[in-house]
Amino acid sequence: MITGAHSIIFSRDADGVRALLRDVLEFPSVDAGGGWLIFALPPAELAAHPAEEPGHELYLMCDDVERTVDELSQKGVEFARPVTDAGWGLVTALRLPGGGELGLYEPRHATPPGG
């Protein structure tokens, strides 16, 4: 029934975000027409958390957040905050071109098969 998920990052600098995804994170992409790039993502997982206000968040996952932060920093990526221990994982966030953030974390929880 469901064959995948499509996430969208809205930005005042969509070209800058596309360059980050393509050139820095090296996500493979296809041109959907007119330079509109659609990027492949690594395997994903989805969780539902209780909250007072509904909302959505997007995080990239890695095996070693400190190493990943170092590697991305060397490529010019800026981070919104230092790595912190959230209990369920080590968490930080990349600053995106045009404003906004993209979460990054090293999970400490079990991950589902294919996730």
Side-chain angles (χ1 to χ4, degrees), residues 9 26 30 38 40-41 45 52 55 78 83 112:
I9 297 173
E26 300 178 3
V30 295
I38 305 294
L41 292 175
E45 60 186 29
E52 293 295 319
E78 294 179 13
V83 174

Side-chain angles (χ1 to χ4, degrees), residues 16-108:
V17 173
R18 289 182 194 121
L20 172 77
L21 297 173
R22 180 190 62 226
D23 302 334
V24 178
L25 299 181
E26 300 178 3
F27 289 163
S29 66
V30 295
D31 188 327
W36 196 272
L37 301 179
I38 305 294
F39 293 89
L41 292 175
E45 60 186 29
L46 178 64
H49 293 234
E52 293 295 319
E53 294 294 323
H56 312 296
E57 292 186 11
L58 177 62
Y59 287 85
L60 300 177
M61 297 166 58
C62 61
D63 293 329
D64 183 334
V65 73
E66 296 289 351
R67 186 181 79 229
T68 302
V69 166
D70 287 344
E71 290 173 3
L72 293 175
S73 294
Q74 291 175 22
K75 293 182 174 187
V77 173
E78 294 179 13
F79 287 83
R81 58 185 151 281
V83 174
T84 58
D85 187 340
W88 45 267
L90 300 175
V91 183
T92 188
L94 293 75
R95 289 192 193 278
L96 292 175
E101 300 176 358
L102 179 59
L104 173 69
Y105 85 104
E106 176 186 334
R108 289 190 172 158

